[in-house]
Amino acid sequence: MGEQHYERLGAEAVLNLQPNSCVSVVYHPDFGPHFELLLLELDEKLLPDVLGQRVTLRGQPEEDAVLCTDSKTYAIKFVTTSNSVFLIPPSQLLSDEKAKDCDEECKDGSSGAPVIKVAPGNMELIEVAPRLDRLKLLLSENRFGLSEMSNMEIVSDRGMGNIGLYSWEDLVEKVQSSDDELRLGLDALSAIEINGYWRIVDDKCMDSVLSMLLHNAVLNDWPLNALGEKEVLCMLESDGFPCKIASHCLQVYGSRVNKDSEIDSVWKLDERKVCVHFAKQILRDGKIKMENFMEEWAHKIPSGMQASLEMLEGEILMEKLGIETWVNAFSVSSLPSNPAERFSILFRERPKWEWKDLQPYIRDLRVPGLSSEGLLLKYTRRTQPTLDVEPIFSAR
């Protein structure tokens, strides 16, 4: 029998194993549970992000961690396996001494591939909706109000005076969401960055700015579909509103008409957004009779704008009490983004829903891999006595 040659083995020996051949495996000198080593199963489309170190794990100690790329959020699920999975380190990670120790484990004197751990399972990634409810809770702790306008340009140092204020870095640390989804969440909340902190401007402050803008439009004969940005901001600043808040008002209630222009930007107020603002303002004190609501609403909206109840889908609920119809505020923006929690609140508000009333309150739900029809099947019970009547949805 010829002399056997010493050959260092590692993971490569197993990966390159040819058909009808074999290789010995031995215990690595450091064999053990090695809890710091975990297997992660990846879709090929995620490999570039992981290998390029463009992913992060996010979550607080009391939360289940999520893995985030630049644009998506993934839940991490541990899956146990029935078969033994041996982890063998690459040969370049084996020192000469360790390699020799591994080889000596083989009884026949041949080299062996050293097993450092037996993995009980692996982690899987499941795409999920970003968990943005926490974002609204954080930004609602300290909303920007009228009292702050006089000193908003004073940049304060981080410290006790900034309790309830969160920078971008703070939000990235505390909210389980990818960066792109976090930016979309900030846009949905009409948040604005002031002195390095992201804030929600409170309703009374927005009331004042918008009312003054509309007042100036009447005084100066400004067309609401062609507002010159420089003139509007200059006038609002002279009325005591900081430029940043005045500009924020244009962005919340309007849209830029000449986006590519290098000259003075021109803005158009959005009829629906302005009308919804005044409808919500009327309903802050509670429900109101429909005829009284419509009369006050028509009185508040600017001349030239036409209000209609279709604008208020997902913002109000109507209730028939005897011969009278009452209106109360019930905004989809106040509901949680978690489907189970959303449907629970909806059915507490109303045990039974017609589709035309329910649809505005669920159309924004985003659950990867589950359609709107799937959500209805999972969380509701549909009844339709005959084909010529609208279906009714109740809690499952």
Side-chain angles (χ1 to χ4, degrees), residues 1 4-9 22-26 99-113:
M1 188 173 181
Q4 294 191 6
H5 297 285
Y6 171 79
E7 179 185 5
R8 180 171 307 172
L9 298 178
C22 62
V23 64
S24 299
V25 293
V26 298
K100 205 166 188 179
D101 290 340
C102 293
D103 295 336
E104 289 175 357
E105 294 288 338
C106 290
K107 303 301 182 182
D108 60 359
S110 62
S111 301

Side-chain angles (χ1 to χ4, degrees), residues 201-258:
V201 181
D202 75 17
D203 294 335
K204 290 183 178 179
C205 186
M206 294 303 289
D207 286 346
S208 298
V209 184
L210 179 60
S211 295
M212 185 58 70
L213 189 157
L214 294 173
H215 177 70
N216 286 330
V218 173
L219 290 180
N220 296 283
D221 199 24
W222 295 339
L224 298 183
N225 61 354
L227 297 170
E229 182 178 288
K230 290 181 180 179
E231 188 176 9
V232 169
L233 298 186
C234 181
M235 190 66 69
L236 287 174
E237 276 194 277
S238 68
D239 292 322
F241 296 101
C243 180
K244 192 155 195 173
I245 298 300
S247 177
H248 181 62
C249 180
L250 284 176
Q251 293 172 21
V252 170
Y253 297 110
S255 57
R256 188 180 283 110
V257 177
N258 56 344

